[in-house]
Structure formats: structure tokens, C-alpha cells
Amino acid sequence: MIQSFIPHHPTLLFFQYTIINTKRKGGDFMRDSGGKPSEQSASTELRQGIQGWQVAFIGLGGVIGSCYFLGLGALIRDMGPAVLLAFLLVGVIVYGMMIAYAELLVNLPRTGSFVSYTCEFLGETASVGIGWSFWFNWVCYVPSEALAAAMVLNTFFPGHTGAYAIGALAMLTVINLSAVDVFARVESTLAIIKVCAVILFSVIAFGIWIGLWGAEGFLGSSVNFGAGSFVQNLFPNGAGVVLTNMVVVLVTFQGTEIVGLAASETQNPDVAVPAACKSVTYRIACLYLVPILLILGIFPSENATLDGSVFAQVLSYYGLNFWAGLFSAAVLIAAFSCANTGFYGTVRCLYGLSVEGLAPKIFSKLDKNGSPRPAVLFTLAAMWLVLMLGLFAGGGVLYESLLSVSGFTGTLAWIGIIASQMMFRRRLRRNGYIPEKCLQAAVSEKKRWVPMFALVAQIVCLIMLAFGEGQQLVFLIALLAVAIPVCVSLCLKKTGVVPSVPHNSEPNFETKFPKKQHERIC
């Protein structure tokens, strides 16, 4: 079962890019003519309970998912040393998506996040497909992480996997039914632990590499480059394997888009925008690329397996069994942390769909704690159903099939964000504005190629998924995960169950950037 877990939670550090402040700005556009808060304002104002220091740690810890510990071994085994190139490429893709997202969040704040942007700039049909497939993605993934935590616990206290899984999802239920500041405290604490674990592994692995400790007394030369040419060593299983598995690497970084879903609940986030933009690349390099580079330097890639954490496998290989056991336990924390944040992001996505009129209006109603309780309960019901089905099926084929789809559906959200930013700029020029002069946190002229490259590269990766061995069915299921919500939404609109127009009262693009009649200036 462990081999079916595909990493989902890369960075939430991009929380720092968001500048929605509903307490300050909400009163400007969510009041009726008499100056009183409108009904819409009262029912859709999310609580700002995430503090700045928590944002920073959640961002760092969000890079490290349970499947970074579990699934990295499969990627190393299949790709060999080329896995480092794959992660570098996806790092560029992530950076391109993030700077495009920052431009949208800063200049056109939205409580509905990327769902709102895709709705306004790409149309309702695209937004329904992207938003609901994103929701489906996490509804399938969060229960699998609960089961991952259960399987880790089962190695220490055997015989109760089902009970552990139910207990893990029950804890997630309690946390996410509470106020957002409870989520922030729990997740930031787990993030600190995960970051410390990765730093600790890097120190130990570096010590092995220079011969300070470890049974083999290894010193200084990569074990993955022996006989044969450099290209043969770099691509031991061929370059085609790298291309067909790129979607899996993309999944490793997914979760960044959740930052927009939490935009309305971050305190004073506008202060951190410039610093976050500059630091994201270094954070990804330190927390992803450095450990991978060290693993490739001291551990034969063909020895990597799916039976557990590759970090633990490396340490066991050099006789450091105590530390290996410690990193096996770290998987438990990472699994729970990813499920916790994924639960949060899933609910906020459903809330955003409702705000945009792409889901029943009840899902945008909030309780006294500022939490979208109906969206939480509906998502909870779906996740419990998936968990029960997974336990009934033995945790095997069902989960493997559902989680393989997540690479496709998750990547669609990134594509939607970048495409929305490009349409945003096109409409700016059409209305007589020069983006470089009018926008805050704008993508500079020198970096404009990065989002375009990220968009094209992701589309190519999705197409390559269809050519992977045994992936044709996965590709078909992924397409259905997009097409079915679109068809259902169209039918519901015709019957009047879902409103035909959004009930979002935020100012749209044309209101904030009205068409200019004369010169092209701000």
C-alpha cells in the first residue's frame, strides 16, 4: 500500500504572497447603500487566524510531505541520478507558477483564490473542471495519508491498522472543525518537526559522505557513477522513464496552490510578499535538492525500494539503525501533517467554488468561528466514505488507482493559475494599462519567460502521462474527474439548483481596472 502514496504537499510558504485583508478591505465593497454590512459580508468573511511566524514555518514544512519520505525511493530507483534533474526542472515550474500567482493575489485579491481567477479569466466551464477535480484530488488523498500514518503505527504496535486510520482521520476532523488558529498552531508545530528532521538527515548524510561515521567508512565519490559513460550512469533506465514520471515529481511539489485558498485568513500578509518571492527558490533547494543530492552521493539508486522511507534505508545501509528508526517515525508526522493541510485546502477550495456560484451557496456559509462549516461537513463525509472503501478493499487497488490521478488533477490547478495570470495581463493591455507600471509584485520583464515555460512544461508532462506504462487508464480517469463535474454543473444550472451567476460581491477586473480612453498609463 505504501507504494501507492504520491507526495502532495510541497510549499505553503506562498501564504506570504497573499494580501487579502477582509477586515480592512471587506468593508469597502461588502456594504449596502446604508453603510451596514450586507448579508453577503456576514456570511462569507473568513476569519484571519494565521499569524506571520506560523506562515513561515507552515511554508517550510509544507515542502515535506509523507511521500517525500516514502515515494522518493521509487523515483530514485526508476530514474537513477536523473531524479535530481527532474526535481530541478519542477523547481523552475513551481517558481514560475508562484510568481504568476503572486501577481494575481497582490493586484486582484480574491477569497476564492485560484478558483476565482480561473472563473473570471478562463470562464466558468474551465473553473468548474479545475476546482472540482482539485477537490476530488484531496478527498482521495487525505484518507490515504490517514492510512499511511496507520501503517507506520502498525509497524510499532501491530494488528490495528484500521483502528489507527480511523483515529487519524477523527483527529483531523476535530482540528478542522475548530477555528483556523487551531489548525495554524498544530500545522506550524508539525512543520517545525519536519524541517528539523530534513536538516538532521542532511547533517548525518554529509557526515557519511566525508567518512565521519557509518559502517562502510565511505569517503567522497558518488556510488552511482561507476563503469560506463556519464549519460548511461545519469539515465540508467533511459531518458523516457524520466519523461513519463514527471507528473509524479510534479505531485511532490503540489500544495503550493493552497496558499491562495488561505489568503483571507492570513494576518497582514502583504508585508511578506517581496521577501517570500525572493526566498522560495532557496527554500526548495535546501529542503528538496540538498537531501536528494546527498542520497545519490552515498546510496546506490538500484537499492532504493518502496518498502519504507528512503531516508531510513540510507541510514540502515550504513548501520545507523537508531537514526533509521527515527526517520521511519518521521513519516507518521509527515503523513498527518499533509493530511491536515490537505483537509484545510480542500474545504477552502469548495468554499471558493461556492463563492463563485460554481457550487451550492450553502458551502460558503460560515459558523461563529469563521469556518465554512457546511463545506467542512460535506468534505468530511466524502473523505470518510473513501477511507471506509479503502479499508474494505484492503487498501490496495482502489487507493493506487485514485492516487495516481492526483498528479493530473493537481497540475491542472497550476496550469489554471498561470493561464489566468496571462489573461489578466492581456486584458490589462486591452484596457490601456502597461502591466510593468501598474502592478505591484509584478513579474519582471526578465522573468516573464518562466511562467510561460512552466505552462508549456506542465502540459507536456500531462500528455506524457498517457504514454507511461500502464498509465492509460489513469489518464482516462483523470479526464473523467474533470469532465464529470463540468457536465453535472451544467445540468444543475439548468435546473436552478446552482445559481447561474456568481454571488461573489468582490470587485471584478473591469471595476478595478476600467478601460482607459487615452494614453496607456496607470
Side-chain angles (χ1 to χ4, degrees), residues 150-167:
M151 295 187 71
V152 174
L153 279 173
N154 197 56
T155 61
F156 296 102
F157 308 101
H160 305 285
T161 301
Y164 293 147
I166 292 172

Side-chain angles (χ1 to χ4, degrees), residues 461-485:
C461 290
L462 294 185
I463 294 173
M464 290 302 299
L465 176 66
F467 296 94
E469 183 178 354
Q471 296 296 313
Q472 289 73 24
L473 180 59
V474 170
F475 188 79
L476 177 61
I477 294 174
L479 291 179
L480 291 175
V482 177
I484 291 176

Side-chain angles (χ1 to χ4, degrees), residues 132-371:
W132 277 104
S133 64
F134 179 84
W135 179 85
F136 171 77
N137 178 3
W138 288 102
V139 162
C140 295
Y141 174 74
V142 170
S144 77
E145 286 290 67
L147 187 56
M151 295 187 71
V152 174
L153 279 173
N154 197 56
T155 61
F156 296 102
F157 308 101
H160 305 285
T161 301
Y164 293 147
I166 292 172
L169 193 54
M171 290 178 63
L172 292 170
T173 300
V174 172
I175 292 171
N176 283 272
L177 284 174
S178 304
V180 68
D181 53 340
V182 175
F183 158 79
R185 287 196 295 269
V186 171
E187 188 56 34
S188 58
T189 301
L190 296 176
I192 292 171
I193 295 173
K194 289 192 292 183
V195 170
C196 291
V198 172
I199 293 174
L200 177 62
F201 174 82
S202 298
V203 171
I204 296 173
F206 182 75
I208 294 173
W209 189 70
I210 63 176
L212 289 180
W213 44 66
E216 297 297 320
F218 183 80
L219 184 62
S221 175
S222 175
V223 297
N224 288 298
F225 286 85
S229 68
F230 176 81
V231 174
Q232 289 175 333
N233 287 318
L234 185 62
F235 301 99
N237 298 317
V241 175
V242 177
L243 294 175
T244 55
N245 281 279
M246 280 300 296
V247 167
V248 179
V249 183
L250 279 168
V251 177
T252 313
F253 287 83
Q254 282 176 17
T256 309
E257 68 286 343
I258 292 177
V259 73
L261 298 170
S264 302
E265 298 167 90
T266 304
Q267 297 175 358
N268 301 320
D270 50 322
V271 177
V273 171
C277 187
K278 293 179 181 178
S279 64
V280 58
T281 303
Y282 306 111
R283 292 173 179 177
I284 290 176
C286 292
L287 293 174
Y288 260 95
L289 300 181
V290 170
I292 293 174
L293 180 62
L294 289 168
I295 290 173
L296 293 173
I298 63 176
F299 190 63
S301 59
E302 63 271 15
N303 286 8
T305 70
L306 294 166
D307 296 331
S309 168
V310 68
F311 295 87
Q313 293 171 22
V314 170
L315 298 176
S316 294
Y317 184 75
Y318 287 94
L320 303 175
N321 295 322
F322 170 79
W323 296 106
L326 188 65
F327 277 89
S328 294
V331 178
L332 173 64
I333 296 173
F336 189 83
S337 173
C338 286
N340 188 36
T341 310
F343 196 137
Y344 171 87
T346 307
V347 169
R348 268 55 184 184
C349 175
L350 182 56
Y351 169 86
L353 285 165
S354 178
V355 166
E356 292 302 317
L358 305 177
K361 188 175 181 178
I362 189 174
F363 294 137
S364 59
K365 299 295 183 181
L366 305 181
D367 62 13
K368 62 181 180 180
N369 291 322
S371 174

